[in-house]
Amino acid sequence: MIEYNQNKIFRSRELRKNMTPGEKKLWHLYLKHYPLKFQRQKIIGEYIADFYCAKAHLIIEVDGESHDTIQNIIRDKARTKALAKYHLRILRISNEKIKTHFYEVCEYIDKVVQFETGSRI
């Protein structure tokens, strides 16, 4: 069962209102209308996932350049390890990939969802 930290509600709402350009594009042009429900800024334990699909047991993280620093790479690995206890798959997609290869990103997400759910969407 996924834990829900109520102390993160305000921050989650704030992140939904102030999505990055990559998050906005992915949400409005693809995930918002995807056949399976995705949630934005979903609280999972001590973390807030950019996008979450319960049926596919999938988290999508949209990463900017700040994730390339040693400190943030270590933090992201710890986050991935902590979220693994919920048996979730985490996709990390860069803002740059969304900007320059949007349709390929969408195809990739769709293939992962189909694999995780065992069905064609």
Side-chain angles (χ1 to χ4, degrees):
M1 173 176 249
I2 292 180
E3 300 170 24
Y4 185 82
N5 182 340
Q6 290 188 336
N7 296 328
K8 302 276 183 186
I9 292 172
F10 178 78
R11 180 71 178 138
S12 176
R13 287 180 183 156
E14 186 178 271
L15 289 170
R16 271 193 299 274
K17 290 178 186 175
N18 298 301
M19 290 191 296
T20 67
E23 289 171 343
K24 283 181 187 178
K25 183 174 185 175
L26 189 59
W27 175 250
H28 289 290
L29 297 180
Y30 191 64
L31 296 177
K32 183 177 183 179
H33 306 290
Y34 195 79
L36 296 182
K37 181 181 179 182
F38 273 88
Q39 294 173 278
R40 296 179 294 157
Q41 307 304 333
K42 171 71 174 168
I43 299 168
I44 300 175
E46 294 299 312
Y47 299 98
I48 300 173
D50 290 338
F51 301 103
Y52 171 68
C53 178
K55 184 157 184 166
H57 307 284
L58 178 67
I59 291 173
I60 299 173
E61 289 293 315
V62 178
D63 293 342
E65 290 178 6
S66 67
H67 288 264
D68 293 340
T69 66
I70 297 295
Q71 181 180 5
N72 285 335
I73 289 169
I74 292 168
R75 186 179 301 141
D76 286 343
K77 284 184 180 186
R79 175 187 174 107
T80 297
K81 186 176 178 180
L83 291 169
K85 72 179 181 181
Y86 300 111
H87 307 286
L88 300 170
R89 181 167 180 176
I90 300 170
L91 297 183
R92 293 196 167 280
I93 302 171
S94 71
N95 276 312
E96 188 63 25
K97 282 268 195 228
I98 292 170
K99 183 178 177 182
T100 60
H101 295 92
F102 183 71
Y103 295 106
E104 290 88 348
V105 166
C106 296
E107 287 176 5
Y108 174 62
I109 292 169
D110 188 53
K111 285 179 183 177
V112 171
V113 169
Q114 288 182 42
F115 177 80
E116 294 296 329
T117 61
S119 63
R120 291 194 52 87
I121 306 296

